[in-house]
Amino acid sequence: MSEPLLNVRNVTKAFGGVKALDGVGLTLRPGEIHALMGENGAGKSTLIKVLTGVYTPDDGAMQFDGRVIAPRSTREAEAIGISTVYQEVNLVPTLSIADNILLGRQPTRFGFLRKKAIKQRAEVALARLGLKLDVSLPLNACSMAEQQLVAIARALDIQAKLLILDEPTSSLDEREVEFLFGVLRRLRDQGMALLFVTHFLDQVYAITDRITVLRNGAFVGDFAAADLPRLKLIGAMLGRNFEELESADSDPSPAITEKRATFLEAQELGKRGVMDNVSLSIAPGEVVGLSGLLGSGRTETAKMLFGVLPPDRGSLSIAGQRTSIRSPRQAIRLGLAFCSEDRKSEGIIPHLSVRENMILAMQASRGPLRLLARSEQDQIAAHYIRALNIKTASAETPIMNLSGGNQQKVMLARWLAMQPKLIILDEPTRGIDVGAKAEIEKLVHSLRAQGMAVIFISSDIEEVVRTCERVVVLRDRRKIAELSGAEVQPNRIMNVIAHHDE
Amino acid sequence: MKFSTRSQNLPLYATMLVLLALFSVASLRYEGFFSTRVVANLFSDNASLGIAAVGMTFVILAGGIDLSVGAVLAFTTIFTATLVQNHNVSPFVALPLALAIGTSFGTGMGFLIQRYELPPFLVTLGGMFFARGVAFVISQESVGITNATYDKVLEFGVPLGAEASLSATALAFIVFLIAGAVLAHFTRFGRNVFALGGNENSARLMGLPVGATKISVYAISGFCSALAGVVSTFYKGSGNPADGVGFELDVIASVVIGGTLLTGGVGTMAGTLTGVLIFGTIQTVLNFDGRLNSSWLRIAMGGLLLLFILLQRFLSRHTAAVR
């Protein structure tokens, strides 16, 4: 086996006490395509940012090409020979293709750009990928796939030895993916090392030689792709030892006591380009889980139900009435609530106080003229701070000063204050500590006991199993199975995800 | 979609067409309009505007804005006029000093914007009040300049045919316009400015010197504003702390009409020249036509500005849809 090109050992990086990376290792050899796998929050992007100099690790060592490295900027990383192509292509759409490939490194004479030489070098870089484009065209005239390839061409021009591809295929169609893979194989055969981040399992097996798995910021393992069957990979990503799984005695999940009237029933709901097909029903006092890997359509399902992405086919009925939800406002009127996974950009308003954040939805539903009395606001805030055990200095503290878990609880309080009949919790435990996780799970149980219907979305399969009595399994933007009662077990869910069409 | 690929240049062609149409119609309507003298005067009369617009083009291309331009111009005029007239300082000392102050002032604002991630609108608004205030501290009133060096410069002219000549101020405009065009379109620095305005985050991830570029464009604008002030002292023969109120808005309008996207990343120096000449041509038309008063300049500029931002919006939607 050849000498490793990149050797990362024991890298640790914490943000405000939360360890995003905890003793992670990564080894890459020249002429190898290596997949970096893990669910959301596993630490993939943090690791990439450490490699590319965006973050400085708190601890650990990195060796590249036989030398110890500690890049402090993208520029430095590129100078060493590490180049990155990001998911949302980080190029300048208004500039020409040639400019994008050579920006910052254009050949000049007496300080002036040599336009002919620039054009030529850009064409050479594209030719290495087997691509021929008019390099004087602005980048925004290109398709996403072409832009992706231009980004790779840029990386090639700097003579990168290691090319990192962060979710390069997420916006490409099948044919484009095939072409890209051809390019990647060609680069591998030229001796480049490629680190490939994706959540598409098929693609991992189609192209990679080795797989490194991370989970919750920790290193799980470095496997040869051929020796790691799908199920084991999923087990590694989701945090269950497979053998242990098979022998584990299954917790009897909460039995379905009686047949209750359905609150919400969705049939064959879909939206072009978003979600193929999902059906689900839920009754008051029921907790239904949505399970599946990243990109399987969990959040999209929630957003369709809540009117954020109104579906364009299928039918929906609420409390026995046929209806269609076109906007979140309408969803709220019908008694739905949606606690978004992305609380930073879709939930909290950082400079407003805990109280103000809590009453937002409630105030919005009353309209701007019927102000909620201050005393009432204080009462609501005090109630939920106590009921959800929110750790805050006071109800008037700006929410940005709270920890992630407590912010999440404020978000929950915002929706609970509306007294919804159905609440959708999308990754309510993401990025919060273990104690807070347990509290949120407990809360879900008590909501169920109060007769609320809960749709629970989480990447943590065990959490889903602990919390839900029924689980809808999604894959590739469609529902592939529904498990209930005794079937709700981690290994069953993983089996379904891994083997559905095999 | 071949059409959309070059649509970036469309605003430029549109402004050029407007200028051409304006000039042709005026030439047909007013006797003596179509002459080298009118063209030479377009450059002389609008030298201040044009030079400031060159600086502003860099700032807007980089995705910023500079509201201090008019105030820096006013400061420069009164500063040089006072030094030359009241303190007998040689213009060879006073003018470089004024330019250095303008450049440092722009650099300072650029530093604040870059280092503390402050919005350029507010920083340069602060800069505008500051420079205007200092201008009035120097002198409350206009100061006329009578100076031998000034006279010599004013006498200078490059003859264009029998009846017209290109003044020193017009030459300064042309020289700095060309320098600006070369810097913007033929150097790495220029490409970096475009990249910064096109997508700052990408520019950073591509390893471009984002901070230095950002500070530089405000430094350039500061320099150009001061130079516009210097030119104005020659053109008017005086310095006035009340000069150039609203001047920055004329400058911004000229740049945007010239096809530079206010959000940054797209534009050309040729467009800026066209924008400035449109402004000047409308003004000349008003001078030729005694019946119209100068309010019509504002009305025409307002109309054109709205027309062009609509055009840009349409084009950017179009390209977004293609993507």
Side-chain angles (χ1 to χ4, degrees), chain A residues 196-231:
Chain A
F196 182 58
V197 180
T198 185
H199 55 255
F200 294 109
L201 292 186
D202 295 337
Q203 296 181 359
V204 170
Y205 284 104
I207 190 153
T208 60
D209 308 309
R210 297 192 69 81
I211 302 173
T212 289
V213 180
L214 303 183
R215 189 176 66 246
N216 292 332
F219 176 78
V220 177
D222 177 351
F223 312 92
D227 302 340
L228 185 69
R230 251 163 216 262
L231 194 58

mmCIF file of all heavy atoms in Angstrom, chain A residues 196-231:
data_model
loop_
_atom_site.group_PDB
_atom_site.id
_atom_site.type_symbol
_atom_site.label_atom_id
_atom_site.label_comp_id
_atom_site.label_asym_id
_atom_site.label_seq_id
_atom_site.Cartn_x
_atom_site.Cartn_y
_atom_site.Cartn_z
ATOM 1 N N PHE A 196 -14.901 12.477 -0.771
ATOM 2 C CA PHE A 196 -16.216 12.639 -1.359
ATOM 3 C C PHE A 196 -17.260 12.583 -0.240
ATOM 4 O O PHE A 196 -17.348 11.590 0.466
ATOM 5 C CB PHE A 196 -16.389 11.485 -2.363
ATOM 6 C CG PHE A 196 -17.662 11.478 -3.132
ATOM 7 C CD1 PHE A 196 -18.032 12.553 -3.911
ATOM 8 C CD2 PHE A 196 -18.485 10.361 -3.110
ATOM 9 C CE1 PHE A 196 -19.202 12.521 -4.645
ATOM 10 C CE2 PHE A 196 -19.662 10.330 -3.846
ATOM 11 C CZ PHE A 196 -20.015 11.407 -4.609
ATOM 12 N N VAL A 197 -17.979 13.654 -0.071
ATOM 13 C CA VAL A 197 -19.016 13.675 0.965
ATOM 14 C C VAL A 197 -20.367 13.608 0.282
ATOM 15 O O VAL A 197 -20.659 14.402 -0.604
ATOM 16 C CB VAL A 197 -18.944 14.955 1.808
ATOM 17 C CG1 VAL A 197 -20.023 14.967 2.873
ATOM 18 C CG2 VAL A 197 -17.581 15.100 2.436
ATOM 19 N N THR A 198 -21.181 12.665 0.700
ATOM 20 C CA THR A 198 -22.508 12.566 0.097
ATOM 21 C C THR A 198 -23.424 11.861 1.080
ATOM 22 O O THR A 198 -22.980 11.278 2.062
ATOM 23 C CB THR A 198 -22.462 11.785 -1.224
ATOM 24 O OG1 THR A 198 -23.760 11.823 -1.820
ATOM 25 C CG2 THR A 198 -22.061 10.346 -1.009
ATOM 26 N N HIS A 199 -24.718 11.924 0.810
ATOM 27 C CA HIS A 199 -25.615 11.097 1.608
ATOM 28 C C HIS A 199 -26.336 10.082 0.737
ATOM 29 O O HIS A 199 -27.245 9.412 1.183
ATOM 30 C CB HIS A 199 -26.585 11.949 2.413
ATOM 31 C CG HIS A 199 -27.359 12.908 1.571
ATOM 32 N ND1 HIS A 199 -27.082 14.251 1.556
ATOM 33 C CD2 HIS A 199 -28.362 12.727 0.724
ATOM 34 C CE1 HIS A 199 -27.904 14.839 0.715
ATOM 35 N NE2 HIS A 199 -28.694 13.952 0.193
ATOM 36 N N PHE A 200 -25.889 9.987 -0.534
ATOM 37 C CA PHE A 200 -26.497 8.980 -1.404
ATOM 38 C C PHE A 200 -25.686 7.692 -1.319
ATOM 39 O O PHE A 200 -24.559 7.616 -1.793
ATOM 40 C CB PHE A 200 -26.527 9.463 -2.848
ATOM 41 C CG PHE A 200 -27.410 10.647 -3.070
ATOM 42 C CD1 PHE A 200 -26.873 11.893 -3.345
ATOM 43 C CD2 PHE A 200 -28.790 10.518 -2.982
ATOM 44 C CE1 PHE A 200 -27.689 12.991 -3.537
ATOM 45 C CE2 PHE A 200 -29.614 11.613 -3.176
ATOM 46 C CZ PHE A 200 -29.063 12.846 -3.455
ATOM 47 N N LEU A 201 -26.292 6.660 -0.702
ATOM 48 C CA LEU A 201 -25.566 5.410 -0.495
ATOM 49 C C LEU A 201 -25.152 4.763 -1.807
ATOM 50 O O LEU A 201 -24.039 4.264 -1.943
ATOM 51 C CB LEU A 201 -26.435 4.424 0.291
ATOM 52 C CG LEU A 201 -26.726 4.800 1.731
ATOM 53 C CD1 LEU A 201 -27.473 3.672 2.419
ATOM 54 C CD2 LEU A 201 -25.437 5.095 2.466
ATOM 55 N N ASP A 202 -26.063 4.791 -2.783
ATOM 56 C CA ASP A 202 -25.759 4.148 -4.065
ATOM 57 C C ASP A 202 -24.485 4.714 -4.661
ATOM 58 O O ASP A 202 -23.653 4.001 -5.196
ATOM 59 C CB ASP A 202 -26.912 4.359 -5.059
ATOM 60 C CG ASP A 202 -28.170 3.671 -4.581
ATOM 61 O OD1 ASP A 202 -28.030 2.730 -3.778
ATOM 62 O OD2 ASP A 202 -29.262 4.093 -4.977
ATOM 63 N N GLN A 203 -24.374 6.046 -4.565
ATOM 64 C CA GLN A 203 -23.218 6.705 -5.162
ATOM 65 C C GLN A 203 -21.938 6.332 -4.428
ATOM 66 O O GLN A 203 -20.885 6.191 -5.041
ATOM 67 C CB GLN A 203 -23.415 8.217 -5.153
ATOM 68 C CG GLN A 203 -24.585 8.636 -6.021
ATOM 69 C CD GLN A 203 -24.780 10.125 -6.029
ATOM 70 O OE1 GLN A 203 -24.054 10.861 -5.361
ATOM 71 N NE2 GLN A 203 -25.768 10.576 -6.781
ATOM 72 N N VAL A 204 -22.046 6.185 -3.123
ATOM 73 C CA VAL A 204 -20.869 5.798 -2.348
ATOM 74 C C VAL A 204 -20.329 4.471 -2.860
ATOM 75 O O VAL A 204 -19.136 4.321 -3.121
ATOM 76 C CB VAL A 204 -21.218 5.686 -0.853
ATOM 77 C CG1 VAL A 204 -20.075 5.043 -0.089
ATOM 78 C CG2 VAL A 204 -21.544 7.049 -0.296
ATOM 79 N N TYR A 205 -21.242 3.519 -3.037
ATOM 80 C CA TYR A 205 -20.785 2.200 -3.476
ATOM 81 C C TYR A 205 -20.374 2.209 -4.942
ATOM 82 O O TYR A 205 -19.581 1.399 -5.384
ATOM 83 C CB TYR A 205 -21.855 1.148 -3.200
ATOM 84 C CG TYR A 205 -21.892 0.800 -1.736
ATOM 85 C CD1 TYR A 205 -22.895 1.294 -0.914
ATOM 86 C CD2 TYR A 205 -20.875 0.035 -1.155
ATOM 87 C CE1 TYR A 205 -22.912 1.014 0.434
ATOM 88 C CE2 TYR A 205 -20.875 -0.250 0.192
ATOM 89 C CZ TYR A 205 -21.896 0.229 0.988
ATOM 90 O OH TYR A 205 -21.892 -0.037 2.318
ATOM 91 N N ALA A 206 -20.924 3.142 -5.708
ATOM 92 C CA ALA A 206 -20.587 3.190 -7.128
ATOM 93 C C ALA A 206 -19.169 3.688 -7.351
ATOM 94 O O ALA A 206 -18.525 3.314 -8.312
ATOM 95 C CB ALA A 206 -21.571 4.081 -7.878
ATOM 96 N N ILE A 207 -18.682 4.530 -6.483
ATOM 97 C CA ILE A 207 -17.433 5.193 -6.839
ATOM 98 C C ILE A 207 -16.318 5.124 -5.805
ATOM 99 O O ILE A 207 -15.148 5.264 -6.146
ATOM 100 C CB ILE A 207 -17.707 6.665 -7.212
ATOM 101 C CG1 ILE A 207 -16.458 7.302 -7.831
ATOM 102 C CG2 ILE A 207 -18.150 7.479 -6.015
ATOM 103 C CD1 ILE A 207 -16.742 8.407 -8.747
ATOM 104 N N THR A 208 -16.629 4.879 -4.534
ATOM 105 C CA THR A 208 -15.556 5.037 -3.559
ATOM 106 C C THR A 208 -14.813 3.744 -3.272
ATOM 107 O O THR A 208 -15.348 2.646 -3.430
ATOM 108 C CB THR A 208 -16.069 5.615 -2.222
ATOM 109 O OG1 THR A 208 -17.037 4.724 -1.713
ATOM 110 C CG2 THR A 208 -16.648 6.980 -2.429
ATOM 111 N N ASP A 209 -13.558 3.918 -2.863
ATOM 112 C CA ASP A 209 -12.716 2.787 -2.508
ATOM 113 C C ASP A 209 -12.766 2.524 -1.006
ATOM 114 O O ASP A 209 -12.799 1.403 -0.554
ATOM 115 C CB ASP A 209 -11.262 3.065 -2.920
ATOM 116 C CG ASP A 209 -11.178 3.474 -4.378
ATOM 117 O OD1 ASP A 209 -11.733 2.744 -5.220
ATOM 118 O OD2 ASP A 209 -10.591 4.528 -4.679
ATOM 119 N N ARG A 210 -12.733 3.626 -0.236
ATOM 120 C CA ARG A 210 -12.778 3.477 1.211
ATOM 121 C C ARG A 210 -13.829 4.426 1.784
ATOM 122 O O ARG A 210 -14.214 5.417 1.145
ATOM 123 C CB ARG A 210 -11.412 3.785 1.844
ATOM 124 C CG ARG A 210 -10.299 2.838 1.430
ATOM 125 C CD ARG A 210 -9.064 3.023 2.299
ATOM 126 N NE ARG A 210 -9.274 2.582 3.668
ATOM 127 C CZ ARG A 210 -9.201 1.289 4.037
ATOM 128 N NH1 ARG A 210 -8.963 0.351 3.164
ATOM 129 N NH2 ARG A 210 -9.394 0.970 5.298
ATOM 130 N N ILE A 211 -14.266 4.109 3.001
ATOM 131 C CA ILE A 211 -15.302 4.913 3.637
ATOM 132 C C ILE A 211 -14.889 5.208 5.081
ATOM 133 O O ILE A 211 -14.544 4.286 5.826
ATOM 134 C CB ILE A 211 -16.659 4.161 3.666
ATOM 135 C CG1 ILE A 211 -17.085 3.786 2.241
ATOM 136 C CG2 ILE A 211 -17.723 4.996 4.360
ATOM 137 C CD1 ILE A 211 -18.312 2.898 2.191
ATOM 138 N N THR A 212 -14.895 6.473 5.433
ATOM 139 C CA THR A 212 -14.709 6.833 6.842
ATOM 140 C C THR A 212 -16.052 7.311 7.375
ATOM 141 O O THR A 212 -16.718 8.123 6.740
ATOM 142 C CB THR A 212 -13.654 7.941 7.000
ATOM 143 O OG1 THR A 212 -12.365 7.381 6.710
ATOM 144 C CG2 THR A 212 -13.638 8.502 8.415
ATOM 145 N N VAL A 213 -16.452 6.768 8.516
ATOM 146 C CA VAL A 213 -17.746 7.121 9.094
ATOM 147 C C VAL A 213 -17.542 7.933 10.371
ATOM 148 O O VAL A 213 -16.723 7.582 11.223
ATOM 149 C CB VAL A 213 -18.579 5.855 9.403
ATOM 150 C CG1 VAL A 213 -19.918 6.252 10.013
ATOM 151 C CG2 VAL A 213 -18.780 5.026 8.150
ATOM 152 N N LEU A 214 -18.268 9.022 10.476
ATOM 153 C CA LEU A 214 -18.284 9.828 11.692
ATOM 154 C C LEU A 214 -19.681 9.786 12.295
ATOM 155 O O LEU A 214 -20.665 9.645 11.587
ATOM 156 C CB LEU A 214 -17.939 11.290 11.392
ATOM 157 C CG LEU A 214 -16.624 11.625 10.704
ATOM 158 C CD1 LEU A 214 -16.494 13.139 10.589
ATOM 159 C CD2 LEU A 214 -15.458 11.046 11.477
ATOM 160 N N ARG A 215 -19.721 9.910 13.600
ATOM 161 C CA ARG A 215 -21.033 10.012 14.245
ATOM 162 C C ARG A 215 -20.907 10.912 15.470
ATOM 163 O O ARG A 215 -20.014 10.713 16.286
ATOM 164 C CB ARG A 215 -21.546 8.642 14.661
ATOM 165 C CG ARG A 215 -22.998 8.698 15.142
ATOM 166 C CD ARG A 215 -23.557 7.333 15.469
ATOM 167 N NE ARG A 215 -22.886 6.734 16.604
ATOM 168 C CZ ARG A 215 -22.137 5.667 16.553
ATOM 169 N NH1 ARG A 215 -21.954 5.046 15.412
ATOM 170 N NH2 ARG A 215 -21.561 5.183 17.633
ATOM 171 N N ASN A 216 -21.777 11.889 15.563
ATOM 172 C CA ASN A 216 -21.767 12.832 16.687
ATOM 173 C C ASN A 216 -20.372 13.395 16.955
ATOM 174 O O ASN A 216 -19.941 13.495 18.100
ATOM 175 C CB ASN A 216 -22.283 12.178 17.967
ATOM 176 C CG ASN A 216 -23.756 11.878 17.859
ATOM 177 O OD1 ASN A 216 -24.471 12.572 17.124
ATOM 178 N ND2 ASN A 216 -24.214 10.868 18.561
ATOM 179 N N GLY A 217 -19.653 13.715 15.917
ATOM 180 C CA GLY A 217 -18.333 14.312 16.080
ATOM 181 C C GLY A 217 -17.237 13.319 16.402
ATOM 182 O O GLY A 217 -16.092 13.705 16.588
ATOM 183 N N ALA A 218 -17.571 12.035 16.471
ATOM 184 C CA ALA A 218 -16.550 11.044 16.822
ATOM 185 C C ALA A 218 -16.257 10.150 15.624
ATOM 186 O O ALA A 218 -17.090 9.967 14.734
ATOM 187 C CB ALA A 218 -17.029 10.202 18.001
ATOM 188 N N PHE A 219 -15.047 9.604 15.617
ATOM 189 C CA PHE A 219 -14.610 8.697 14.561
ATOM 190 C C PHE A 219 -15.204 7.314 14.816
ATOM 191 O O PHE A 219 -15.058 6.770 15.902
ATOM 192 C CB PHE A 219 -13.077 8.647 14.592
ATOM 193 C CG PHE A 219 -12.477 7.681 13.628
ATOM 194 C CD1 PHE A 219 -12.386 8.002 12.284
ATOM 195 C CD2 PHE A 219 -11.979 6.473 14.066
ATOM 196 C CE1 PHE A 219 -11.811 7.117 11.388
ATOM 197 C CE2 PHE A 219 -11.398 5.588 13.178
ATOM 198 C CZ PHE A 219 -11.316 5.904 11.834
ATOM 199 N N VAL A 220 -15.921 6.757 13.838
ATOM 200 C CA VAL A 220 -16.497 5.433 14.020
ATOM 201 C C VAL A 220 -15.603 4.371 13.389
ATOM 202 O O VAL A 220 -15.362 3.325 13.975
ATOM 203 C CB VAL A 220 -17.913 5.351 13.412
ATOM 204 C CG1 VAL A 220 -18.472 3.937 13.539
ATOM 205 C CG2 VAL A 220 -18.832 6.347 14.101
ATOM 206 N N GLY A 221 -15.117 4.653 12.172
ATOM 207 C CA GLY A 221 -14.266 3.659 11.561
ATOM 208 C C GLY A 221 -13.859 4.035 10.153
ATOM 209 O O GLY A 221 -14.442 4.944 9.541
ATOM 210 N N ASP A 222 -12.842 3.347 9.657
ATOM 211 C CA ASP A 222 -12.348 3.543 8.300
ATOM 212 C C ASP A 222 -12.419 2.158 7.640
ATOM 213 O O ASP A 222 -11.760 1.229 8.063
ATOM 214 C CB ASP A 222 -10.903 4.057 8.372
ATOM 215 C CG ASP A 222 -10.278 4.227 7.000
ATOM 216 O OD1 ASP A 222 -10.888 3.801 6.002
ATOM 217 O OD2 ASP A 222 -9.173 4.783 6.935
ATOM 218 N N PHE A 223 -13.302 2.017 6.638
ATOM 219 C CA PHE A 223 -13.570 0.714 6.070
ATOM 220 C C PHE A 223 -13.245 0.683 4.585
ATOM 221 O O PHE A 223 -13.340 1.709 3.919
ATOM 222 C CB PHE A 223 -15.051 0.351 6.219
ATOM 223 C CG PHE A 223 -15.596 0.571 7.597
ATOM 224 C CD1 PHE A 223 -16.204 1.781 7.930
ATOM 225 C CD2 PHE A 223 -15.517 -0.416 8.571
ATOM 226 C CE1 PHE A 223 -16.722 1.990 9.202
ATOM 227 C CE2 PHE A 223 -16.035 -0.211 9.841
ATOM 228 C CZ PHE A 223 -16.634 0.992 10.159
ATOM 229 N N ALA A 224 -12.922 -0.496 4.075
ATOM 230 C CA ALA A 224 -12.871 -0.655 2.626
ATOM 231 C C ALA A 224 -14.313 -0.799 2.162
ATOM 232 O O ALA A 224 -15.109 -1.521 2.772
ATOM 233 C CB ALA A 224 -12.074 -1.899 2.254
ATOM 234 N N ALA A 225 -14.676 -0.086 1.100
ATOM 235 C CA ALA A 225 -16.074 -0.072 0.672
ATOM 236 C C ALA A 225 -16.571 -1.486 0.388
ATOM 237 O O ALA A 225 -17.711 -1.840 0.685
ATOM 238 C CB ALA A 225 -16.234 0.809 -0.565
ATOM 239 N N ALA A 226 -15.678 -2.319 -0.146
ATOM 240 C CA ALA A 226 -16.090 -3.668 -0.517
ATOM 241 C C ALA A 226 -16.407 -4.528 0.702
ATOM 242 O O ALA A 226 -17.185 -5.469 0.622
ATOM 243 C CB ALA A 226 -14.993 -4.312 -1.348
ATOM 244 N N ASP A 227 -15.798 -4.193 1.852
ATOM 245 C CA ASP A 227 -15.990 -5.014 3.051
ATOM 246 C C ASP A 227 -17.113 -4.502 3.937
ATOM 247 O O ASP A 227 -17.308 -5.002 5.045
ATOM 248 C CB ASP A 227 -14.705 -5.029 3.902
ATOM 249 C CG ASP A 227 -13.532 -5.559 3.116
ATOM 250 O OD1 ASP A 227 -13.789 -6.239 2.107
ATOM 251 O OD2 ASP A 227 -12.382 -5.272 3.503
ATOM 252 N N LEU A 228 -17.797 -3.461 3.496
ATOM 253 C CA LEU A 228 -18.786 -2.848 4.385
ATOM 254 C C LEU A 228 -20.153 -2.886 3.713
ATOM 255 O O LEU A 228 -20.489 -2.035 2.907
ATOM 256 C CB LEU A 228 -18.388 -1.390 4.667
ATOM 257 C CG LEU A 228 -19.246 -0.634 5.667
ATOM 258 C CD1 LEU A 228 -19.070 -1.168 7.066
ATOM 259 C CD2 LEU A 228 -18.933 0.852 5.626
ATOM 260 N N PRO A 229 -20.937 -3.900 4.044
ATOM 261 C CA PRO A 229 -22.262 -3.938 3.431
ATOM 262 C C PRO A 229 -23.110 -2.746 3.880
ATOM 263 O O PRO A 229 -22.855 -2.160 4.922
ATOM 264 C CB PRO A 229 -22.854 -5.256 3.928
ATOM 265 C CG PRO A 229 -22.011 -5.684 5.068
ATOM 266 C CD PRO A 229 -20.689 -5.006 4.961
ATOM 267 N N ARG A 230 -24.072 -2.447 3.059
ATOM 268 C CA ARG A 230 -24.959 -1.330 3.313
ATOM 269 C C ARG A 230 -25.464 -1.255 4.748
ATOM 270 O O ARG A 230 -25.436 -0.210 5.382
ATOM 271 C CB ARG A 230 -26.203 -1.490 2.443
ATOM 272 C CG ARG A 230 -26.286 -0.516 1.352
ATOM 273 C CD ARG A 230 -27.290 -1.058 0.361
ATOM 274 N NE ARG A 230 -26.831 -0.705 -0.956
ATOM 275 C CZ ARG A 230 -27.304 0.357 -1.615
ATOM 276 N NH1 ARG A 230 -28.257 1.079 -1.100
ATOM 277 N NH2 ARG A 230 -26.828 0.670 -2.766
ATOM 278 N N LEU A 231 -25.945 -2.384 5.231
ATOM 279 C CA LEU A 231 -26.585 -2.395 6.535
ATOM 280 C C LEU A 231 -25.582 -2.003 7.614
ATOM 281 O O LEU A 231 -25.882 -1.265 8.529
ATOM 282 C CB LEU A 231 -27.139 -3.800 6.802
ATOM 283 C CG LEU A 231 -28.119 -3.860 7.962
ATOM 284 C CD1 LEU A 231 -29.279 -2.918 7.718
ATOM 285 C CD2 LEU A 231 -28.618 -5.278 8.134
#
